[in-house]
Amino acid sequence: MQHRPIFQVIDGVLIGAEQIPSPNFNQRPDETEIQLVVIHNISLPPSQFGCGYIQQFFQNKLDWSMHPYFQTIEGMQVSAHILILRTGEVLQFVNLKDRAWHAGRSCYLGKKECNDYSIGIELEGSDDLAFEDVQYQKLAEVVAALQTTYPKIQQHLTGHSDIAAGRKTDPGPYFDWMKFRFLLKQLKNQSTVIPLND
């Protein structure tokens, strides 16, 4: 018996995610193949959750006067392709075919400028708090869908800290890579996913 995938990628859109378009993107370089998933964490203000400020930040709608911390990031234009909230809600800000502005100066296996060829996934969280079980489950479901559409990322899952060492620390010491990889493997073993052309 075949199981319908929970998420599907159609024309760069993650079906099953809420769409909240961000203006912070541009085109990937010509002939670029998506080869990598980069996992981040984000919270605004730090270690505070559920306020909607991340969504506003990615849309350039954040009121910088709302919190002293916001003044330290004032004017920054940032986005990720996908954000997974602590409630398990999955939001998409940038079409997967486009280049989201999530990694900054970065290098993976000797290849620079990871934004060019990666998909950025933000988890609502911080370096000093555990993530929610539902976030791991949704992350596994999302990545399984991405791997179906973009086979090159089967073996290429990394953290922001790994591609921007010394500059970034996320997803941080509380992100359980073994748990995530176990859920992803379990999910792929349970489901037969029909590849979709992108």
Side-chain angles (χ1 to χ4, degrees):
M1 178 181 174
Q2 290 187 330
H3 299 273
R4 180 177 173 81
I6 298 161
F7 294 99
Q8 293 180 321
V9 177
I10 300 177
D11 201 29
V13 175
L14 183 66
I15 305 301
E18 181 182 350
Q19 300 297 312
I20 305 179
S22 167
N24 300 331
F25 71 92
N26 55 6
Q27 289 187 327
R28 297 183 189 272
D30 291 342
E31 308 302 320
T32 297
E33 191 172 12
I34 294 170
Q35 304 174 39
L36 177 67
V37 167
V38 180
I39 299 173
H40 307 253
N41 77 48
I42 186 170
S43 52
L44 293 174
S47 300
Q48 295 185 36
F49 308 123
C51 305
Y53 293 134
I54 302 169
Q55 295 92 311
Q56 293 171 26
F57 183 45
F58 287 171
Q59 293 183 291
N60 299 341
K61 295 179 178 179
L62 185 60
D63 181 348
W64 311 112
S65 67
M66 289 290 290
H67 190 278
Y69 177 77
F70 296 167
Q71 290 156 35
T72 70
I73 58 172
E74 184 170 355
M76 289 180 66
Q77 294 184 328
V78 177
S79 63
H81 291 95
I82 295 160
L83 169 66
I84 302 177
L85 300 177
R86 295 184 79 78
T87 57
E89 293 173 84
V90 179
L91 314 177
Q92 181 173 9
F93 292 87
V94 175
N95 188 292
L96 300 174
K97 292 182 175 182
D98 292 322
R99 182 181 187 270
W101 302 345
H102 61 96
R105 290 285 172 259
S106 51
C107 182
Y108 179 76
L109 299 181
K111 188 170 182 177
K112 295 183 178 180
E113 306 302 339
C114 295
N115 281 343
D116 290 350
Y117 57 90
S118 69
I119 292 171
I121 301 179
E122 295 272 7
L123 300 176
E124 185 181 26
S126 68
D127 283 4
D128 52 7
L129 289 168
F131 295 90
E132 301 290 345
D133 287 343
V134 69
Q135 289 181 288
Y136 286 103
Q137 184 62 42
K138 292 299 179 182
L139 178 62
E141 292 168 6
V142 168
V143 171
L146 298 179
Q147 289 180 333
T148 300
T149 305
Y150 307 108
K152 279 279 180 77
I153 65 173
Q154 292 283 347
Q155 304 300 324
H156 300 292
L157 308 170
T158 193
H160 199 186
S161 56
D162 298 311
I163 61 169
R167 188 172 67 83
K168 294 294 181 179
T169 58
D170 58 312
Y174 284 87
F175 183 74
D176 189 336
W177 284 98
M178 288 184 65
K179 179 176 183 175
F180 161 56
R181 290 181 185 277
F182 173 79
L183 287 171
L184 180 59
K185 184 177 181 180
Q186 189 179 51
L187 188 68
K188 293 170 87 170
N189 286 343
Q190 288 173 354
S191 301
T192 303
V193 181
I194 302 168
L196 295 171
N197 294 325
D198 188 41

